[in-house]
Amino acid sequence: MGDWKTVTVPVLSSDSKNIFQYTSEKKISPPSMNSQVLRLPLPSSKSMHSFFSAFCTEENIEQSISYLNRELTTLGFPSIYVEPKGKELNLISIINCMNELLVQQHKNLRAQEEVEMQHLKLGSDMDHLQNSYAKLKEQLELSKREIVGLQERDRQLQSKNRNLHQLLKNEKDEVQKLQNIISSRATQYNHDMKRKEREYNKLKERLHQLVMNKKDKKIAMEVLNYVGRADGKRGAWRTDKTEARNEEEMYKVLLSDYEQRQKQLLVENAELKKVLQQMKKEIISLLPPQKQKPKERSEDGPVLSDLEEDIGELNKENMWELSCETVREQLTNSIRKQWRMLKNHVEKLDNQVSRVHSRALDDKDVISREDHELKTEKLELEIQQCKEMIKTQQQLLQQQLMSPCDDDTTLLLQDCYLLEERERLQEEWRLFREQKKNFEKERRSFTEAAIRLGLERKAFEEDRGAWLKQQFLSMSTDYKHSENVTTPSAFLGSSDQDSRLTNSTSQQRKPHCTLSGPVSAEPGQMSQYISCNSSNAASKKPAGDGKPNQWEESDEGEVE
Amino acid sequence: MQQKLRFLALALTQRLSSALGSAQASCVQYRLIVRDVTTLQLLQLYTCLDQIQYIEWSSDSLFILCAMYKRGIVQVWSLEQPDWHCKIDEGSAGLVASCWSPDGRHILNTTEFHLRITVWSLCTKSVSYIKYPKACQQGIAFTKDGRYMAVAERRDCKDFVSLFVCSDWQLLRHFDTETQDLFGIEWAPNGCVLAVWDTCLEYKILLYSLDGRLLSTYRAYEWSLGIKSIAWSPSSQFLAIGSYDEKVRILNHVTWKKIAEFEHPAMVADTKTVVYKEVEKPPSVETERLSFPPTRALASSLFSTQSKYDISQVPVSFQYIKPVADRANPKMGIGMLAFSSDNCFLATKNDNIPNAVWIWDIQKLKLSVVLEQLCAIQSFQWDPRQPRLAVCTGNSKVYLWSPAGCVSVQVPMEGEFQIVSLCWHPTGDSMALLSKENFCMCYLEREEVK
């Protein structure tokens, strides 16, 4: 239809002219729209309304709808007609489209806001950058000026320096010149002096000649009498001998002086050597052994051994006499080496200390101060504890040792304690033994009782058997009174059977009371008797036999 | 300084000679007065022919020579025999200097213009001549034991040294020295080394052995004024050389190389140095004792100012005098040097700082004490027995320093008494203080140490 110009949303005012302007800017092709637009005198309150109603009126609804449909479809929205080329409007789609359009509108507004914000920001950034640029430019200018100024100063100073150098050179040259002048003048003066002196000498000679020639008698010595020499000796003529003697004397004097000096020097030397050796020993003792490099050790090794040999020799012999160069040199060299090593060691320690102070613990050998302190504290605590322990132990030891001080009483006490214990133990032993005996007795009695019981039971069984037999027999004898099956001794009358049984049992019991020997015999008898009996009795045999066996076994079991 | 000082004053004396023993000689005009040292009682009185310029005791203290340069006469007097006399007349040869030989029996006269040295013998009739002696300050030097004598000579514009045996005056050695203009010679106390030094225009000192070999040469610098004074240490270990550049250089006897250099700056800043400053004490007058007319003692005590020593706080700056540049022999440099008898101290005076005495500790080779006086130092001398230094500054006080401290002593004299020089007795018990016209004996009593 037409292209909408991208125009910002106008601020709607009551002025209808604006609207006119606005609407006139629109390039809407359908002229009907324009005319329609022009015809509208719109009140302010309804301006929005009127604006929005400017597009579509009652007359051009269909056209506007179709237009809208076209626009929407071109924009990608679904058609608002139900059917293409139909005239029914799809309300839903319309609403959707409207919603979409609103959403898009919102989006666009937001985007616009953002863009505006960014625009503002960029604008302010730009301002800021421009300001800073201006400042930097100023600074650059300033520093350029400064540089120029400094360069100027530098140039001045350099020129000054050159001048001063020149002056110095000049002064030095002058000094040299003056010295040369002085030396030349000095030689001139010397020459003149010598000349004058020669003249003077000549005069002196002349004068001397005159004086001598005059032969002044005045030049004499008057003395009352000659005095003896101070040392009482007579004066001697000067001869060759005396001359030789004088020479000798002189040399003797010189030699004695030299000897004295040499002695002093020897003494000093010996002292210094001693001091050096002491120092060497001390330095060696100070140096930590692991710090010595093997190289130096190997170097020092033969040297030291040689030195020590030499020193040993020196010590053996008279130290005053030996002072060979090599020994001296070796001693001084070794001391120098040791001193250097000590110095290096001390320097290392200093470095370590400084490093520790600056808390740069890179070196493994270095223990940080804190750790060191902690360790020392721990060690101290341990030491204290150990000390306390030692103290307590000592006290205890002392107490123990102190006890021997009350010798007898403690011994006695100890003995008493021992005796008590011993007696107690003995008593207990006794009791134990008694109990043991008692137990054995009881056991024996029990076994005997058990055996008796067994025997008795057997007897009882036999008696029972016999009585039953008897009964049976009596029953049968009632019929056969004549059979006279009587058993002698073993079986007695039926009325007395119980008593007999008891008697027999008591009889049997008696032998049972005695040793176990006859016990074995009697079951034989009993078995004899039982075998004579009926089968019941026979069946009881094994039981009877078994019982004592069982008893024995059980007895044995008990014993065990 | 727990010692009492006794003073005995005498008047009108001109020359003084210290005695080796118990006598002391002084001369007045043409009279020679011999006194007892302890009591200053007159022992002998001799009269000479002319005004005496110089007196000297012989080594055995039996004879005194009196030299009269104007007349060219030397008179010798005996202490044992007052009647004995001896007169040596140089006649037209003139006399410039005279001295005893170490054996006490020969007199060496130096004739005018240094033409020759005549050796007169008192025992024999023999006379010896030494030709071409050098006209310098110290041309003759005897060893301490008196065996050898060194004489500086100059022939053909060259310096030589001759060594003589004093017993028979035999020439032992004769060698030339590499000096421009020999200024002085001095034996070391051990008698084996002779120090020979050059004029102040050249800093050069040569050390010769007794047999004439050159042991060493030492030159500190060139062109500037050189050696002003030297001193041997009593043990012969050190040789101190004072020069015009206000420094003292110490050479050691083993290598003859410099081992120390002592500077004398105008400001002392070392905190370990003790500086004693002499300050005036206002005289204490007891008003009750004032009487009219005032007695002499009172008058003198009123007008003579007492002084005492204060210890100044280091740093101290001294009065420094720069001498006039166009004069010869300027008053600068180390003019006086003396070792103490025990070898431990060296006293020096820097002529640029004329009021100060610098005392150096030789064991530590550093400055130990500075004595700052109110007046210029005239002379100082060490006690022959102890490390004690006596200083005089031209006023009537004598100053004593020892490691224990220092003291200023007023000499109780009537009238003016300006001490210009002093001289210790060999025993160290007394010293003579000389002014231009008087001398005074100062006795130091030793306090018994309990």
Side-chain angles (χ1 to χ4, degrees):
Chain A
M1 229 182 186
D3 294 315
W4 289 84
K5 227 186 185 178
T6 51
V7 183
T8 53
V9 177
V11 176
L12 293 165
S13 60
S14 55
D15 201 357
S16 57
K17 280 186 188 173
N18 281 339
I19 295 162
F20 278 143
Q21 283 172 359
Y22 181 78
T23 51
S24 64
E25 282 173 25
K26 268 200 249 171
K27 291 179 187 167
I28 301 167
S29 49
S32 56
M33 295 234 176
N34 278 331
S35 57
Q36 281 166 10
V37 166
L38 283 164
R39 259 193 275 141
L40 289 172
L42 304 162
S44 59
S45 57
K46 289 185 186 174
S47 53
M48 282 291 276
H49 219 40
S50 59
F51 169 66
F52 282 123
S53 61
F55 168 62
C56 181
T57 55
E58 287 154 7
E59 285 99 39
N60 62 349
I61 286 176
E62 282 186 26
Q63 288 165 343
S64 45
I65 287 171
S66 62
Y67 172 72
L68 280 175
N69 184 44
R70 252 180 288 154
E71 291 295 316
L72 285 169
T73 47
T74 51
L75 282 173
F77 288 103
S79 168
I80 56 175
Y81 289 121
V82 173
E83 299 153 19
K85 296 190 181 176
K87 290 203 173 170
E88 257 184 62
L89 294 170
N90 189 356
L91 191 63
I92 291 167
S93 73
I94 289 170
I95 290 166
N96 285 335
C97 291
M98 270 179 70
N99 186 39
E100 277 295 318
L101 285 167
L102 281 169
V103 164
Q104 272 196 12
Q105 172 73 355
H106 283 305
K107 261 196 227 165
N108 288 336
L109 281 173
R110 253 182 273 134
Q112 210 177 25
E113 273 179 31
E114 277 179 31
V115 166
E116 276 171 14
M117 282 291 291
Q118 259 200 13
H119 186 77
L120 281 169
K121 267 194 217 163
L122 286 170
S124 68
D125 281 344
M126 188 81 148
D127 287 333
H128 177 69
L129 283 170
Q130 275 180 351
N131 287 339
S132 56
Y133 172 72
K135 272 189 221 160
L136 284 170
K137 237 181 156 178
E138 275 179 42
Q139 274 183 17
L140 184 69
E141 284 299 311
L142 267 169
S143 42
K144 273 191 189 158
R145 259 178 264 141
E146 259 186 57
I147 283 171
V148 166
L150 285 169
Q151 277 179 349
E152 189 57 44
R153 232 178 71 186
D154 182 46
R155 241 178 281 134
Q156 281 177 6
L157 285 171
Q158 275 200 6
S159 70
K160 229 188 192 178
N161 195 19
R162 254 179 276 127
N163 288 343
L164 285 170
H165 271 296
Q166 195 61 40
L167 275 172
L168 180 67
K169 211 174 122 200
N170 293 344
E171 290 297 321
K172 277 192 186 164
D173 288 337
E174 241 190 81
V175 163
Q176 193 59 43
K177 240 198 286 174
L178 283 170
Q179 278 193 350
N180 292 339
I181 289 171
I182 289 171
S183 63
S184 68
R185 280 178 90 105
T187 47
Q188 188 65 36
Y189 286 140
N190 287 339
H191 180 78
D192 278 343
M193 273 278 286
K194 281 198 180 136
R195 200 157 43 86
K196 294 226 165 82
E197 213 186 311
R198 272 185 221 115
E199 228 185 278
Y200 172 66
N201 283 341
K202 275 188 215 156
L203 281 170
K204 273 208 307 193
E205 286 287 338
R206 193 90 175 89
L207 183 64
H208 190 85
Q209 275 173 18
L210 287 170
V211 165
M212 292 309 283
N213 281 345
K214 251 195 174 179
K215 291 205 177 173
D216 212 341
K217 283 181 187 169
K218 282 190 190 174
I219 301 174
M221 183 170 87
E222 268 178 45
V223 67
L224 186 67
N225 58 331
Y226 285 106
V227 186
R229 283 168 62 94
D231 46 2
K233 288 184 198 167
R234 276 208 205 161
W237 292 105
R238 245 192 280 171
T239 57
D240 290 337
K241 264 196 206 170
T242 57
E243 277 182 33
R245 207 175 357 107
N246 285 332
E247 287 270 338
E248 226 184 89
E249 288 280 329
M250 176 190 79
Y251 282 122
K252 270 191 202 166
V253 165
L254 274 175
L255 277 173
S256 65
D257 180 61
Y258 281 130
E259 270 175 19
Q260 205 191 27
R261 243 196 275 167
Q262 205 207 8
K263 270 190 210 161
Q264 282 179 3
L265 287 170
L266 275 173
V267 167
E268 223 185 287
N269 222 13
E271 276 184 35
L272 287 171
K273 262 196 221 168
K274 265 192 230 165
V275 168
L276 276 176
Q277 280 176 15
Q278 268 182 15
M279 261 177 66
K280 200 178 91 152
K281 278 185 207 161
E282 280 173 21
I283 288 170
I284 291 170
S285 69
L286 272 176
L287 281 173
Q290 66 262 22
K291 292 281 180 182
Q292 277 181 356
K293 294 174 193 168
K295 235 197 209 177
E296 295 204 60
R297 221 185 291 148
S298 65
E299 273 181 21
D300 277 342
V303 173
L304 277 172
S305 62
D306 287 342
L307 244 181
E308 277 161 18
E309 279 175 28
D310 289 331
I311 289 167
E313 284 177 22
L314 276 171
N315 287 331
K316 281 180 212 163
E317 305 182 34
N318 199 350
M319 269 182 78
W320 309 85
E321 293 163 25
L322 286 179
S323 66
C324 20
E325 282 263 345
T326 45
V327 172
R328 216 185 326 129
E329 270 178 34
Q330 275 175 5
L331 180 64
T332 48
N333 284 338
S334 73
I335 282 184
R336 269 199 215 114
K337 266 190 223 162
Q338 304 286 345
W339 183 254
R340 239 182 286 134
M341 275 158 61
L342 182 69
K343 209 173 74 165
N344 290 338
H345 180 58
V346 169
E347 276 169 15
K348 269 190 220 164
L349 285 173
D350 275 340
N351 287 340
Q352 280 180 7
V353 167
S354 63
R355 254 186 275 156
V356 163
H357 279 301
S358 62
R359 294 186 187 250
L361 305 167
D362 295 324
D363 204 343
K364 286 177 195 173
D365 295 334
V366 176
I367 309 166
S368 74
R369 213 186 192 179
E370 291 174 348
D371 290 348
H372 186 72
E373 279 174 9
L374 282 168
K375 275 189 186 171
T376 48
E377 279 177 21
K378 274 188 220 165
L379 286 168
E380 276 172 18
L381 277 169
E382 275 185 44
I383 287 167
Q384 274 187 3
Q385 286 173 1
C386 289
K387 276 187 189 166
E388 280 167 23
M389 265 180 63
I390 289 167
K391 268 188 207 165
T392 49
Q393 283 189 359
Q394 269 187 351
Q395 280 176 3
L396 289 169
L397 259 175
Q398 271 188 357
Q399 278 179 5
Q400 285 219 352
L401 290 169
M402 285 296 284
S403 48
C405 290
D406 323 330
D407 262 325
D408 301 344
T409 51
T410 46
L411 277 170
L412 278 171
L413 277 168
Q414 279 179 354
D415 284 341
C416 287
Y417 290 136
L418 284 169
L419 279 169
E420 262 192 56
E421 281 187 29
R422 213 184 289 162
E423 284 177 11
R424 251 186 263 140
L425 277 170
Q426 280 174 356
E427 273 188 42
E428 283 182 20
W429 267 106
R430 242 187 293 122
L431 280 167
F432 178 70
R433 272 186 228 127
E434 280 178 26
Q435 279 177 12
K436 200 169 163 187
K437 277 183 208 166
N438 293 338
F439 280 135
E440 281 199 0
K441 273 187 210 165
E442 282 183 30
R443 199 193 301 151
R444 256 185 262 134
S445 61
F446 280 137
T447 50
E448 283 174 9
I451 292 165
R452 257 185 279 123
L453 259 176
L455 285 172
E456 278 183 23
R457 198 181 287 172
K458 257 194 233 168
F460 175 70
E461 293 293 326
E462 281 174 14
D463 281 345
R464 209 177 88 184
W467 186 74
L468 281 169
K469 208 171 156 185
Q470 215 182 19
Q471 282 273 322
F472 184 72
L473 286 170
S474 67
M475 277 165 58
S476 63
T477 53
D478 283 334
Y479 297 110
K480 304 170 192 181
H481 211 41
S482 61
E483 277 183 35
N484 298 324
V485 179
T486 50
T487 53
S489 57
F491 292 102
L492 300 172
S494 61
S495 60
D496 298 345
Q497 264 215 327
D498 290 314
S499 61
R500 280 177 215 154
L501 270 171
T502 56
N503 286 336
S504 65
T505 52
S506 66
Q507 279 176 9
Q508 280 170 4
R509 217 180 275 147
K510 282 173 189 175
H512 274 295
C513 289
T514 56
L515 300 164
S516 58
V519 173
S520 58
E522 285 180 273
Q525 288 174 2
M526 279 197 330
S527 62
Q528 276 181 353
Y529 293 133
I530 293 165
S531 62
C532 297
N533 296 343
S534 59
S535 60
N536 290 334
S539 66
K540 289 167 192 174
K541 264 192 211 172
D545 284 322
K547 277 174 194 173
N549 289 332
Q550 280 178 1
W551 272 112
E552 281 177 13
E553 283 171 12
S554 63
D555 192 14
E556 283 171 11
E558 276 182 359
V559 167
E560 285 172 9
Chain B
M1 304 300 296
Q2 299 294 325
Q3 285 190 336
K4 290 188 199 162
L5 301 163
R6 260 196 313 134
F7 290 94
L8 274 178
L10 281 159
L12 298 170
T13 180
Q14 238 181 345
R15 291 283 181 270
L16 176 89
S17 177
S18 64
L20 277 166
S22 54
Q24 184 216 45
S26 59
C27 61
V28 182
Q29 294 277 324
Y30 55 90
R31 258 183 290 207
L32 179 71
I33 306 161
V34 181
R35 295 169 207 274
D36 177 59
V37 163
T38 42
T39 60
L40 285 183
Q41 219 178 30
L42 195 75
L43 289 174
Q44 298 283 355
L45 182 68
Y46 303 101
T47 313
C48 291
L49 297 168
D50 199 12
Q51 201 177 40
I52 305 168
Q53 260 93 34
Y54 180 70
I55 57 173
E56 191 182 325
W57 282 94
S58 69
S59 52
D60 52 5
S61 300
L62 294 175
F63 299 98
I64 308 169
L65 74 80
C66 311
M68 292 141 266
Y69 297 143
K70 281 183 195 158
R71 278 283 295 272
I73 300 173
V74 174
Q75 276 186 291
V76 188
W77 304 103
S78 159
L79 213 61
E80 292 172 315
Q81 297 174 341
D83 304 327
W84 189 89
H85 64 92
C86 171
K87 186 179 82 169
I88 299 168
D89 193 350
E90 287 289 339
S92 46
L95 189 65
V96 174
S98 178
C99 66
W100 280 105
S101 74
D103 63 356
R105 296 291 177 270
H106 294 85
I107 294 171
L108 289 91
N109 285 344
T110 311
T111 58
E112 215 166 349
F113 303 116
H114 288 83
L115 282 177
R116 63 168 189 255
I117 296 176
T118 326
V119 182
W120 300 94
S121 165
L122 291 176
C123 343
T124 63
K125 285 186 188 170
S126 61
V127 178
S128 308
Y129 295 101
I130 299 171
K131 287 187 85 178
Y132 311 113
K134 175 99 192 199
C136 60
Q137 210 178 55
Q138 267 173 266
I140 305 175
F142 293 102
T143 58
K144 203 164 160 195
D145 52 7
R147 275 204 204 170
Y148 303 101
M149 176 178 80
V151 177
E153 298 174 8
R154 190 162 176 103
R155 288 166 216 247
D156 301 328
C157 312
K158 263 199 274 185
D159 293 316
F160 295 88
V161 171
S162 296
L163 298 178
F164 292 93
V165 181
C166 292
S167 50
D168 55 5
W169 304 110
Q170 182 218 328
L171 177 69
L172 194 65
R173 286 286 185 276
H174 179 81
F175 50 90
D176 66 331
T177 62
E178 293 160 16
T179 51
Q180 287 273 358
D181 187 10
L182 199 155
F183 193 71
I185 54 174
E186 192 168 323
W187 284 102
N190 64 3
C192 296
V193 182
L194 180 70
V196 174
W197 66 97
D198 211 341
T199 175
C200 59
L201 288 171
E202 189 99 15
Y203 192 127
K204 197 193 239 178
I205 184 160
L206 299 142
L207 293 139
Y208 288 93
S209 159
L210 179 60
D211 56 348
R213 290 174 298 123
L214 174 66
L215 292 172
S216 173
T217 312
Y218 179 69
R219 292 191 78 173
Y221 50 79
E222 271 191 299
W223 302 128
S224 299
L225 289 176
I227 302 174
K228 195 164 183 185
S229 57
I230 76 152
W232 282 98
S233 75
S235 62
S236 314
Q237 271 178 309
F238 304 111
L239 176 62
I241 307 169
S243 47
Y244 281 89
D245 66 345
E246 304 176 50
K247 287 190 200 163
V248 173
R249 289 171 179 82
I250 311 267
L251 308 184
N252 76 90
H253 74 307
V254 180
T255 60
W256 300 115
K257 297 251 189 300
K258 175 183 81 167
I259 57 165
E261 198 174 285
F262 295 152
E263 284 187 19
H264 298 72
M267 185 157 103
V268 169
D270 187 9
T271 46
K272 293 199 183 154
T273 311
V274 182
V275 178
Y276 292 102
K277 193 183 162 80
E278 190 195 357
V279 284
E280 276 188 11
K281 245 186 343 191
S284 57
V285 182
E286 293 166 2
T287 45
E288 297 154 3
R289 289 238 203 116
L290 276 176
S291 61
F292 192 82
T295 57
R296 266 205 198 158
L298 194 61
S300 63
S301 71
L302 272 175
F303 286 108
S304 63
T305 48
Q306 296 275 322
S307 75
K308 64 181 174 91
Y309 277 106
D310 269 346
I311 295 181
S312 310
Q313 284 295 320
V314 173
V316 179
S317 62
F318 303 112
Q319 189 192 6
Y320 185 87
I321 296 173
K322 221 170 172 188
V324 189
D326 56 352
R327 291 265 186 87
N329 298 324
K331 283 215 156 113
M332 58 192 261
I334 309 300
M336 286 193 227
L337 276 181
F339 274 94
S340 70
S341 49
D342 64 348
N343 231 5
C344 292
F345 297 102
L346 172 70
T348 64
K349 180 193 162 202
N350 181 3
D351 292 336
N352 284 91
I353 306 172
N355 291 11
V357 178
W358 306 65
I359 300 174
W360 305 81
D361 187 338
I362 295 300
Q363 286 173 327
K364 295 179 198 160
L365 287 177
K366 52 187 275 237
L367 181 62
S368 161
V369 169
V370 180
L371 300 176
E372 195 185 350
Q373 309 294 128
L374 290 168
C375 314
I377 311 285
Q378 296 292 322
S379 84
F380 54 72
Q381 203 182 43
W382 285 99
D383 184 330
R385 295 282 170 90
Q386 306 171 37
R388 190 161 57 176
L389 183 70
V391 181
C392 64
T393 63
N395 52 15
S396 61
K397 297 187 198 62
V398 67
Y399 307 93
L400 289 161
W401 175 87
S402 80
C406 63
V407 73
S408 132
V409 184
Q410 174 76 26
V411 175
M413 287 281 277
E414 297 167 4
E416 293 276 313
F417 184 65
Q418 283 162 340
I419 307 170
V420 288
S421 75
L422 48 84
C423 187
W424 283 93
H425 191 269
T427 58
D429 288 332
S430 56
M431 64 174 157
L433 309 166
L434 289 90
S435 76
K436 275 198 185 145
E437 285 160 14
N438 306 338
F439 83 92
C440 167
M441 286 299 295
C442 165
Y443 300 93
L444 295 97
E445 283 170 7
R446 248 185 268 246
E447 208 180 65
E448 281 178 19
V449 180
K450 289 175 189 173

